[in-house]
Structures are given as structure tokens and as C-alpha cells.
């Protein structure tokens, strides 16, 4: 396959590619909500055999919740409730939220809704996103039901963005279909670090997380972990990120962007 002649391309092509690459090379990172705002519609794909989806979704939601700055006139501590919606099939496959197993700050504020059908769950999710008295909404839906098509996904996105309430929708045993979610993850369980005092005890949770589609970020993979109540993220692809950054910087040096 012949290589394109870069010298024959117009200068505007390099400017557009450099600007697009600069935007797309901005990787997702922890605490991003503090500087760039919330991603208000998120999907987390996971298998019911591991139970990793709800844990990872809750960890991502809490990271946004803790780092988002409080506006003027708001209480110093966010005391709003959290809505958790499941279809009965999702609850059968992955289990219901266990109050004692939730983070302490959420144990008295989770409102649980169990829906018979996907249509009922979507209605509850959309109504929750319209309520600014909720900190965020967690949903769990199994498989790829017809009711959760692109139109339904778009309705959830618009409701979340209009009212500023984030949605973390766990897709249990689902294939990657059309969706308007701003960030789409696929997570699996990862081995925990050995506990310091008791090697036989379960360690803190870890997840292998792939961000395979995002509106404002390049795809990537991270190892997420919970350490002393906080979420941490590390990547094994730092070399790839550096290579992408150098390529973008090279384009800018060769063809600096024109300014008015």
C-alpha cells in the first residue's frame, strides 16, 4: 500500500489534524469533573459472572461526586440522595445493592427501585434524571432489550444534561450497541493486592477498565483500584500516550496554528 505524499497536502489539513489530535489525545483521568465538568451519561459494560459492573460504576460516580466543586449557595457537604434502578432480570443476575456493603456516606441515602420490565426501568431512570435533588443515578439493565434503543438512550442523555444529574448505567451481559452515552466503559475484575496483615483476606477491589468510546477523550485502558476509600487509576500504555503526544507536538512545530 503506497504512503500519501504529505508535502502535497494543503496546510489547512495539518492544522485541522493537529487541532483534532490535540483534543482527542486528552486522556481521561481521575478528578476530571473538577476542571471539565461532569460526563452526565455513562455506560459500564460488565459480565454478571464477576459483579464488577456496579462496583466500578459506583467508584466512577463517587470520584466525580467528590471532586466536583460546590457552587455558591450550596451546603459544604452534599446530602442529596442517590437513585438506584434495576430491572428484575438484572437483580437476578447481579444481585441487589447490599446496604452494609455500600460506602458509609451512601448507606442511608440510596433509593432502590426494582422494575419488572426495561420500559419501567427507563421511565424511572428518566424521572430520576429530572430531579436535581439526586446526587446521581445508577441503573442496571441486563442484555440488549429492544426498549433500550438509540432513541431511549438519547432521551436519557438529554434529561441528564438538561438537569445536571449524572447517570451511570450498568449494561449486564450486553453487547456494544448504538448509544448516545458520552463515555462508554467495559470493565472486568482484576486481582487485588495482598492485604498487609492477613494474606487470606480479600483485598481492595480492582478493575481492568477500557474506555472504548468517549465524546472528548481518546480510547484507553486503565487499572482502577480503591485504596483507603479513594479511587486510583494507572495505565500500562504510558509509552503509547507519550508517542501520541510527541506526534501531535511535531505537527504543531512544523505547521504552527494561525492566530487572528
Amino acid at each position: 500500500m503506497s504512503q500519501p505524499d504529505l508535502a502535497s497536502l494543503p496546510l489547512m489539513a495539518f492544522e485541522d489534524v493537529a487541532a483534532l489530535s490535540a483534543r482527542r489525545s486528552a486522556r481521561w483521568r481521575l478528578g476530571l469533573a473538577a476542571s471539565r465538568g461532569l460526563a452526565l451519561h455513562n455506560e459500564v459494560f460488565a459480565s454478571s459472572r464477576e459483579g464488577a459492573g456496579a462496583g466500578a460504576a459506583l467508584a466512577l460516580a463517587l470520584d466525580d461526586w467528590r471532586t466536583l466543586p460546590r457552587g455558591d449557595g450550596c451546603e459544604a457537604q452534599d446530602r442529596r440522595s442517590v437513585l438506584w434502578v434495576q430491572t428484575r432480570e438484572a437483580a437476578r443476575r447481579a444481585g441487589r445493592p447490599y446496604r452494609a456493603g455500600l460506602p458509609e456516606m451512601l448507606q442511608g441515602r440510596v433509593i432502590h427501585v426494582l422494575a419488572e420490565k426495561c420500559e419501567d426501568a427507563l421511565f424511572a431512570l428518566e424521572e430520576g434524571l429530572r430531579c436535581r435533588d439526586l446526587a446521581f443515578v445508577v441503573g442496571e439493565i441486563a442484555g440488549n432489550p429492544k426498549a433500550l434503543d438509540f432513541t431511549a438512550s438519547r432521551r436519557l442523555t438529554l434529561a441528564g444534561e438538561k438537569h445536571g444529574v449524572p447517570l451511570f448505567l450498568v449494561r449486564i451481559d450486553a453487547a456494544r450497541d448504538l448509544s448516545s452515552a458520552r463515555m462508554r466503559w467495559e470493565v472486568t475484575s482484576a486481582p487485588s493486592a495482598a492485604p498487609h496483615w492477613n494474606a487470606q483476606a480479600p483485598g481492595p477491589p480492582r478493575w481492568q477498565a477500557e474506555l472504548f468510546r468517549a465524546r472528548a477523550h481518546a480510547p484507553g485502558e486503565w487499572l482502577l483500584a480503591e485504596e483507603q476509600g479513594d479511587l486510583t487509576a494507572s495505565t500500562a500504555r504510558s509509552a503509547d500516550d507519550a508517542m501520541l503526544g510527541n506526534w501531535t507536538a511535531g505537527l504543531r512545530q512544523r505547521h504552527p496554528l494561525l492566530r487572528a
Side-chain angles (χ1 to χ4, degrees), residues 86-143:
Q86 290 180 302
T87 61
R88 187 170 293 279
E89 178 61 19
R92 186 187 69 81
R93 297 191 192 189
R96 302 186 186 192
Y98 180 53
R99 181 176 178 178
L102 294 172
E104 186 176 354
M105 67 181 68
L106 295 182
Q107 290 183 0
R109 62 174 67 182
V110 171
I111 302 171
H112 181 239
V113 173
L114 186 63
E116 289 293 334
K117 300 182 296 183
C118 179
E119 291 85 345
D120 300 333
L122 293 173
F123 175 79
L125 289 171
E126 188 172 341
E127 289 300 306
L129 295 176
R130 297 178 186 275
C131 181
R132 292 190 173 92
D133 289 333
L134 296 175
F136 57 86
V137 176
V138 177
E140 292 186 75
I141 293 178

Side-chain angles (χ1 to χ4, degrees), residues 223-254:
L223 179 63
L224 304 179
E226 187 177 80
E227 296 183 3
Q228 298 180 348
D230 293 327
L231 185 63
T232 65
S234 59
T235 174
R237 296 191 172 185
S238 56
D240 293 342
D241 293 346
M243 184 182 302
L244 181 60
N246 292 336
W247 181 75
T248 303
L251 283 177
R252 284 180 165 178
Q253 186 174 7
R254 181 179 176 185

